[in-house]
Amino acid sequence: MLNVEEFVCPELQLAPCHIKEAVRTLLHTIVVVRSIGGQRPVEPSPVSSEVLDLTYMRTDESEVEEELELRVQQFAELFEKDLANAGRAQLVCSFYTTKSRKQSIWNMLVGGDERIVFEQWRLPVIVQPMRRYPNPADNLKEEANVQTATSQQVQQALHFVIGKANAKVDHLPPPPQAQATYKFDVHFASMDGRSLGGLASSCGSATGSGPPPA
């Protein structure tokens, strides 16, 4: 895509039990840092993770929050149902604006407004199952070590997101007026960019509707 600012987050190597929480913290943070419009300022709430040793920000717009939680659940299911490519997949969040299409027979058939993507975030995830030992005490130690390592990985990725979002703002269009957050789509892809089945989807009424951009 032309004229799209693209950010690829540091690759996350996660145990299956940490995929949902790790992606949740990053996706919510990405949306919060691009919530700069609307009739009132967004008041994101700091949330302490129930799984990882970190705090992150969540939007106070309930419809957006529900939509993000749905996408997080669907992304985790890619790995649970073994739909990811060899335990590897990307969550892709694309921010876009819309403009009316020129009148033509083709556009009458296509319908709707044209989407113009201006920013895209990619979260690459690789599943790394935890090692298991005959001794329960060793298993507990392994779980604690993995949790600590995962918290550090995600914290570094959060710093990446916040740093890039603050440093790269010249490409942003004027803030939206109807809602705080720019319109966005969330879909899933393999590491080489191919779409992963029917789980690719877009956000609801608060953020726009329709299939994800190609």
Side-chain angles (χ1 to χ4, degrees):
M1 291 178 289
L2 298 176
N3 302 319
V4 177
E5 195 73 42
E6 185 177 52
F7 304 108
V8 181
C9 293
E11 185 178 271
L12 298 176
Q13 297 184 12
L14 304 172
C17 61
H18 292 148
I19 291 174
K20 191 181 298 183
E21 185 68 3
V23 171
R24 173 182 290 119
T25 63
L26 290 166
L27 185 56
H28 276 271
T29 300
I30 289 169
V31 170
V32 165
V33 297
R34 288 299 180 244
S35 298
I36 60 175
Q39 302 299 318
R40 65 173 180 83
V42 170
E43 297 181 1
S45 304
V47 177
S48 295
S49 171
E50 297 180 358
V51 179
L52 304 175
D53 184 20
L54 53 82
T55 300
Y56 65 102
M57 305 301 288
R58 294 177 72 132
T59 180
D60 64 348
E61 294 191 311
S62 59
E63 289 185 55
V64 175
E65 183 175 16
E66 290 173 7
E67 197 65 41
L68 294 179
E69 286 301 303
L70 175 61
R71 303 305 165 222
V72 168
Q73 177 64 38
Q74 290 178 333
F75 187 68
E77 288 176 355
L78 281 179
F79 299 93
E80 294 170 5
K81 298 178 180 179
D82 200 26
L83 298 178
N85 185 9
R88 299 166 179 256
Q90 298 182 82
L91 182 144
V92 184
C93 181
S94 301
F95 291 95
Y96 66 92
T97 58
T98 58
K99 72 175 183 179
S100 299
R101 299 179 188 272
K102 295 180 180 179
Q103 288 190 344
S104 69
I105 295 177
W106 170 251
N107 287 338
M108 288 176 64
L109 294 173
V110 173
D113 295 332
E114 179 183 359
R115 295 186 178 202
I116 304 172
V117 176
F118 61 86
E119 183 174 285
Q120 189 171 85
W121 295 81
R122 293 182 175 271
L123 309 181
V125 172
I126 297 177
V127 172
Q128 194 168 56
M130 277 190 279
R131 285 172 289 190
R132 290 300 176 186
Y133 301 91
N135 187 336
D138 290 337
N139 284 328
L140 290 175
K141 184 177 180 180
E142 173 71 6
E143 290 171 6
N145 290 339
V146 170
Q147 183 184 44
T148 298
T150 301
S151 298
Q152 293 172 349
Q153 278 191 87
V154 176
Q155 190 70 65
Q156 290 173 357
L158 287 172
H159 289 160
F160 173 89
V161 168
I162 294 170
K164 291 295 184 182
N166 289 335
K168 296 281 189 176
V169 296
D170 292 344
H171 65 287
L172 297 178
Q177 298 300 311
Q179 70 276 334
T181 307
Y182 286 108
K183 295 178 181 179
F184 64 91
D185 278 321
V186 176
H187 67 280
F188 316 132
S190 63
M191 289 303 198
D192 60 6
R194 290 176 296 174
S195 178
L196 289 178
L199 289 179
S201 54
S202 64
C203 292
S205 58
T207 51
S209 59

